[in-house]
Amino acid sequence: MSEVVAYCAVPDLAQSGFGPETVEAWPAAGGGLLVGIVEPAFAGVAPLRRTVKTIFIRIDESDVIRVMLPYVALEDEARTCIRVLIAAELLVDERRIEIQALQAKSAKFIVDIEPDAERSLRVCAAVARTRLVAAAAEKLGLAIDLYQVSDGAVFGFDVCIPFRDVAVDAALSDPPSSVRLHCGHTIALCAGASADINVPPMPAERDQFASI
């Protein structure tokens, strides 16, 4: 019997040490940017440790942005919510967001996304966006505040740089000390990089793109 969870009860993030302060980024295998964060609501049976990320966002040379939740299964309502949140922070069409999660019947099923989990998803995507803009600015030698993001690309004056063209550089850029979310809130980050990363294998099957 699978466990259905609606608005999971999770510890206070400020006291538990999880959430925004655990966000990290690495070069993705095969090239690209991989950003991960520890969010207890998506932990499933995984241990709550800073090196065991529970949300990953991958941006690479393809036009698909992958959101990986390796320890939980998702109901359709939760998938819809996640697509909306990630697309809003990255300023891309929701059809470009592909969600990979467990399919096993014994997995913990998430029905609704509770507020702290929403924040972690937003922060993860905002860190990716911030790094992409920083990489584009460094590549062209212009100030970071002269760029805007729209439709999966970084724009500055008459220049347009798709995410895929700076994803590798973004993985190597300096970590931001804070990020500004699409809703206008600024979130402070604690940039403590770890040497180890646990990225569990995802099932081979993938969702079809869904327009919301």
Side-chain angles (χ1 to χ4, degrees):
M1 180 70 67
S2 61
E3 182 181 358
V4 177
V5 178
Y7 287 100
C8 315
V10 298
D12 180 79
L13 296 182
Q15 298 178 6
S16 65
F18 300 120
E21 67 180 63
T22 67
V23 68
E24 298 180 54
W26 313 266
L33 168 66
L34 183 68
V35 180
I37 192 171
V38 182
E39 168 47 55
F42 295 122
V45 297
L48 285 177
R49 299 173 183 161
R50 293 177 65 89
T51 55
V52 183
K53 308 305 182 188
T54 59
I55 300 170
F56 296 94
I57 296 176
R58 177 183 174 122
I59 299 173
D60 53 29
E61 63 182 8
S62 71
D63 284 327
V64 176
I65 296 170
R66 295 179 177 86
V67 181
M68 296 172 280
L69 304 169
Y71 301 112
V72 294
L74 302 170
E75 294 288 352
D76 289 343
E77 182 180 347
R79 288 177 179 270
T80 297
C81 179
I82 291 169
R83 283 194 177 97
V84 170
L85 291 171
I86 300 299
E89 291 300 333
L90 291 174
L91 286 88
V92 299
D93 191 293
E94 293 157 16
R95 290 172 293 183
R96 292 182 57 181
I97 306 296
E98 179 183 290
I99 301 174
Q100 299 178 2
L102 289 179
Q103 302 294 327
K105 294 181 179 179
S106 59
K108 178 180 290 186
F109 270 79
I110 304 297
V111 179
D112 297 316
I113 310 300
E114 53 88 31
D116 283 335
E118 285 192 7
R119 181 178 67 165
S120 291
L121 287 162
R122 290 180 182 275
V123 167
C124 202
V127 167
R129 168 173 43 79
T130 301
R131 281 177 169 267
L132 290 163
V133 174
E138 183 174 357
K139 186 173 184 177
L140 296 180
L142 297 175
I144 193 171
D145 58 359
L146 297 179
Y147 291 88
Q148 293 183 337
V149 174
S150 178
D151 195 26
V154 182
F155 291 84
F157 296 112
D158 58 348
V159 179
C160 172
I161 306 178
F163 286 171
R164 61 177 177 269
D165 291 349
V166 288
V168 173
D169 295 329
L172 303 175
S173 65
D174 293 333
S177 59
S178 65
V179 290
R180 186 172 180 83
L181 304 185
H182 180 67
C183 63
H185 295 161
T186 297
I187 304 293
L189 308 175
C190 178
S194 65
D196 302 319
I197 171 177
N198 183 341
V199 185
M202 295 299 303
E205 59 270 18
R206 294 176 178 170
D207 322 5
Q208 295 297 317
F209 291 167
S211 179
I212 301 170

